């Protein structure tokens, strides 16, 4: 892996733990960090040994690991943006955000504190979200005279429904982890000390399944979500055919019939 100024990356047991680390800015996303994320995720996707990515936030300058996941986009950088500069900033963010959404590896956001603005948006770009019980989510942009610019108006509505998304974005009200779970924004809420163990346990469970099949299932879900049901089911049938001509299919079904543990190696 490359060396990064604003990211910390650890790889072990098929899991890449990727921490956004800007302690003095509560891990706010600036242009440099977005560029680093794009490079890092490209390197991860090319690595066959990595099956799951856990995205989290590094500790603050007082070494509090549960202060902030990502506090938002960097207002200090944005304050003097012109319209073209703001648009370019949003487009810059879309590259790593879409990478989290579409890369063959499963992406899990382990949200450890403030997930506001761009922080909520980058968590929503991941496949799965697990929150510590002190996590806080929100889209405060309208209160700053702007709108969410990293996909918030689109991904939030798809996750929690249009009505709740409009309420969060129009009022700029933050919600706690339990409310985020209730409305379907996060998959699970755990005690702070259980956040990373829970994320890693889920990652290990996913890795124990057929990694190639999981990656194809991820593509099927993503690509079919906005299709009409007839074309989406036809696409699924095509991909079902693809995975039936793999080593893992033969090994997985053979192991099932022979009552033994499968050795699934495709990716």
């Amino acid at each position: 892996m490359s060396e990064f100024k604003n990211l910390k990356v650890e790889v072990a047991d098929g899991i890449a733990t990727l921490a956004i680390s800007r302690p003095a800015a509560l891990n706010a996303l600036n242009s440099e960090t977005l560029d680093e994320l794009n490079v890092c995720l490209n390197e991860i996707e090319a690595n066959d040994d990595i099956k799951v990515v856990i995205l989290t936030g590094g500790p603050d300058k007082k070494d509090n690991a549960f202060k902030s996941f990502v506090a938002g986009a960097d207002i200090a950088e944005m304050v003097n943006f012109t319209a073209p500069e703001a648009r370019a900033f949003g487009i810059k963010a879309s590259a790593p955000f879409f990478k989290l959404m579409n890369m063959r590896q499963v992406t899990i956001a382990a949200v450890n504190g403030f997930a506001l603005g761009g922080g909520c948006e980058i968590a929503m770009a991941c496949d799965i979200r697990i929150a510590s019980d002190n996590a806080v989510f929100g889209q405060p942009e309208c209160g700053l005279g702007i709108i969410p610019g990293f996909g918030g108006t689109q991904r939030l509505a798809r996750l929690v429904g249009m009505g709740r998304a409009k309420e969060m974005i129009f009022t700029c009200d933050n919600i706690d982890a339990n409310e985020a779970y209730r409305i379907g924004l996060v998959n699970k809420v755990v005690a702070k000390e259980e956040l990373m163990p829970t994320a890693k346990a889920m990652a290990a469970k996913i890795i124990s399944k057929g990694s190639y099949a999981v990656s194809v299932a991820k593509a099927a879900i993503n690509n079919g979500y906005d299709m009409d049901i007839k074309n989406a089911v036809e696409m699924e049938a095509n991909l079902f055919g693809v995975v039936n001509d793999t080593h893992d299919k033969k090994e997985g079904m053979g192991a099932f019939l022979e009552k033994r543990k499968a050795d699934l190696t495709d990716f």
Side-chain angles (χ1 to χ4, degrees), residues 43 48 66 101 138 157 199 218:
E43 291 183 5
D48 289 344
F66 293 94
M101 177 180 172
K218 173 175 174 172

Side-chain angles (χ1 to χ4, degrees), residues 29-45:
L29 299 172
N30 62 0
S31 292
E32 182 179 55
T33 305
L34 293 170
D35 286 338
E36 288 188 353
L37 274 168
N38 201 41
V39 171
C40 181
L41 293 171
N42 282 332
E43 291 183 5
I44 288 173
E45 186 172 36

Side-chain angles (χ1 to χ4, degrees), residues 88-109:
F89 191 49
I91 296 298
K92 181 185 288 289
S94 72
F97 282 38
F98 275 119
K99 184 65 67 176
L100 287 165
M101 177 180 172
N102 293 320
M103 66 195 301
R104 59 186 179 143
Q105 287 84 358
V106 174
T107 55
I108 300 173

Side-chain angles (χ1 to χ4, degrees), residues 13 19 48 51 57 62 79 98 101 110-111 126 128 134 142 155 180 189 191 205 217 247 262:
D13 302 321
D48 289 344
K51 307 298 195 300
K62 295 182 179 179
V79 63
F98 275 119
M101 177 180 172
V111 182
C126 294
I128 296 166
N134 74 317
C142 286
R155 290 192 175 96
V189 178
K205 185 173 187 178
H247 162 271

